């Protein structure tokens, strides 16, 4: 009988250790997303706000409208401060557990995050076998247990903590890549690039540069390459000077030009929806992800929104 108190004490100590250590081990590295940011994590916030009943336009840009919706969500969820900044407390309330068979904006948010990790999924809001497979692959690669295809807090935390671009005004916050980083990623995916000057100087219009390009844009190009398979992709325009300016432009890292290839054109026409004609006469085709393909005659001008 004298051993019982010691046994009870040992069990209590083990339980206390589990309570104290487990949350730290499982804690997610949630990104901070706020007004002025751009990128995949902003798109994810916007989809999740809509999923929670706070309808928000989805454009990947965290402006005053998104900030107001975040504040409304924070207030309704009893969070303090109500500051419009999406940090760990807000993320923990905002995420939605989704699984095979689910549909809607929360699934779109998931697909955006999976694509930030190279999944190449259509952002259609349908959690089917393809999305389920990509979730399980991600869970396996991230060392999560169980690998069950269910996206709960642990999987959301790994997705948001390990990838996806938060962005910031001017491309800060880890949203952009250097020339060498982008070139390495593109080359590994089998994508080539060329320029009339055979150079990569961002300050020369005769070059093709990737300096300061968004990671989401490079990921989008790689996903496109996966989709077109053996069709060659050759980039003829990046962030170099000489292109039209604007919020979603070459200079801000949102656009790439691809050499006109019949196999690429056939893929775009057969996969995406014709969405009108641009002011300069270029035919526009829009992907489910929101990416916009403009036929400029000599090349495809692609805006990677997600």
């Amino acid at each position: 009988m004298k051993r019982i108190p010691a046994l009870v004490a040992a069990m209590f100590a083990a339980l206390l250790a589990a309570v104290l250590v487990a949350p730290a081990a499982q804690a997610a590295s949630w990104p901070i997303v706020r007004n002025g940011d751009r990128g995949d994590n902003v798109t994810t916030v916007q989809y999740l706000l809509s999923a929670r009943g706070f309808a928000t336009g989805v454009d990947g840009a965290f402006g005053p409208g998104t900030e107001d919706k975040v504040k409304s969500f924070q207030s309704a969820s009893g969070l303090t401060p109500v500051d419009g900044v999406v940090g760990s407390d807000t993320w923990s309330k905002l995420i939605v557990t989704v699984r095979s068979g689910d549909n809607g904006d929360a699934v779109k948010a998931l697909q955006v995050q999976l694509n930030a990790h190279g999944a190449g999924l259509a952002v259609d809001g349908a959690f089917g076998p393809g999305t389920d497979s990509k979730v399980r692959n991600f869970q396996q690669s991230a060392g999560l247990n169980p690998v069950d295809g269910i996206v709960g807090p642990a999987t959301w935390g790994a997705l948001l903590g390990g990838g996806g671009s938060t962005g910031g005004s001017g491309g800060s916050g880890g949203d952009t890549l250097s020339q060498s980083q982008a070139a390495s990623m593109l080359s590994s995916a089998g994508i080539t690039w060329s320029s009339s000057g055979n150079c990569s100087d961002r300050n020369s219009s005769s070059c093709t540069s990737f300096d300061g390009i968004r990671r989401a844009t490079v990921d989008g190009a790689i996903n496109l390459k996966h989709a077109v398979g053996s069709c060659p992709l050759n980039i003829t325009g990046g962030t170099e000077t000489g292109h039209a300016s604007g919020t979603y432009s070459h200079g801000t890292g949102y656009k790439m030009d691809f050499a006109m290839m019949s196999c690429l054109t056939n893929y775009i026409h057969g996969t995406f929806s014709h969405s009108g004609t641009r002011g300069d006469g270029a035919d526009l085709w829009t992907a489910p992800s929101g990416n916009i393909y403009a036929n400029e005659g000599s090349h495809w001008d692609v805006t990677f929104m997600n």
Side-chain angles (χ1 to χ4, degrees):
M1 296 295 292
K2 293 181 179 178
R3 297 179 58 187
I4 293 178
L7 179 60
V8 172
M11 292 175 61
F12 177 78
L15 178 60
L16 181 61
V19 170
L20 293 175
V21 174
Q26 297 173 6
S29 178
W30 302 103
I32 303 295
V33 191
R34 67 187 78 203
N35 198 338
D37 287 348
R38 299 180 183 276
D40 297 318
N41 288 347
V42 176
T43 302
T44 300
V45 167
Q46 291 168 332
Y47 275 131
L48 288 174
L49 284 168
S50 294
R52 288 294 189 183
F54 296 81
T56 307
V58 178
D59 59 4
F62 200 130
T66 299
E67 183 178 54
D68 286 344
K69 294 293 185 179
V70 171
K71 287 180 178 179
S72 296
F73 173 77
Q74 290 173 327
S75 179
S77 300
L79 295 168
T80 55
V82 177
D83 56 4
V85 177
V86 183
S88 58
D89 289 343
T90 302
W91 278 117
S92 66
K93 296 285 189 181
L94 191 59
I95 57 173
V96 178
T97 296
V98 289
R99 67 195 73 206
S100 184
D102 288 345
N103 292 274
D105 288 319
V107 177
K108 290 181 180 179
L110 165 65
Q111 291 167 332
V112 167
Q113 283 299 315
L114 288 169
N115 286 346
H117 291 270
L121 293 165
V123 181
D124 58 6
F127 200 133
T131 299
D132 183 76
S133 175
K134 295 297 184 180
V135 169
R136 291 173 189 269
N137 289 345
F138 175 78
Q139 290 174 326
Q140 182 73 42
S141 65
L144 297 172
N145 188 29
V147 176
D148 56 4
I150 298 173
V151 184
T155 301
W156 275 115
L159 284 165
L160 288 155
S165 54
T166 302
S169 56
S172 60
D175 193 29
T176 59
L177 300 172
S178 67
Q179 172 69 30
S180 60
Q181 288 173 323
S184 176
M185 292 172 65
L186 293 166
S187 178
S188 295
I191 300 173
T192 61
W193 54 93
S194 60
S195 64
S196 59
N198 193 29
C199 51
S200 59
D201 182 0
R202 185 174 184 176
N203 297 312
S204 173
S205 60
S206 64
C207 299
T208 295
S209 178
F210 305 129
D211 187 26
I213 200 163
R214 298 167 62 244
R215 182 185 181 91
T217 298
V218 173
D219 286 341
I222 293 171
N223 290 337
L224 177 61
K225 176 58 180 171
H226 289 162
V228 299
S230 60
C231 179
L233 290 187
N234 183 62
I235 300 168
T236 60
T239 59
E240 67 280 350
T241 189
H243 298 280
S245 60
T247 302
Y248 305 107
S249 63
H250 284 274
T252 57
Y254 276 83
K255 285 193 174 191
M256 280 183 176
D257 290 340
F258 293 88
M260 189 63 69
M261 302 281 185
S262 59
C263 53
L264 175 59
T265 298
N266 290 339
Y267 172 78
I268 293 169
H269 287 180
T271 308
F272 305 137
S273 301
H274 186 254
S275 51
T277 304
R278 205 166 60 184
D280 59 0
D283 270 344
L284 300 176
W285 300 76
T286 302
S289 63
N291 297 339
I292 302 170
Y293 295 73
N295 186 337
E296 295 192 355
S298 63
H299 62 269
W300 282 98
D301 172 85
V302 184
T303 308
F304 290 99
M305 300 301 295
N306 294 303

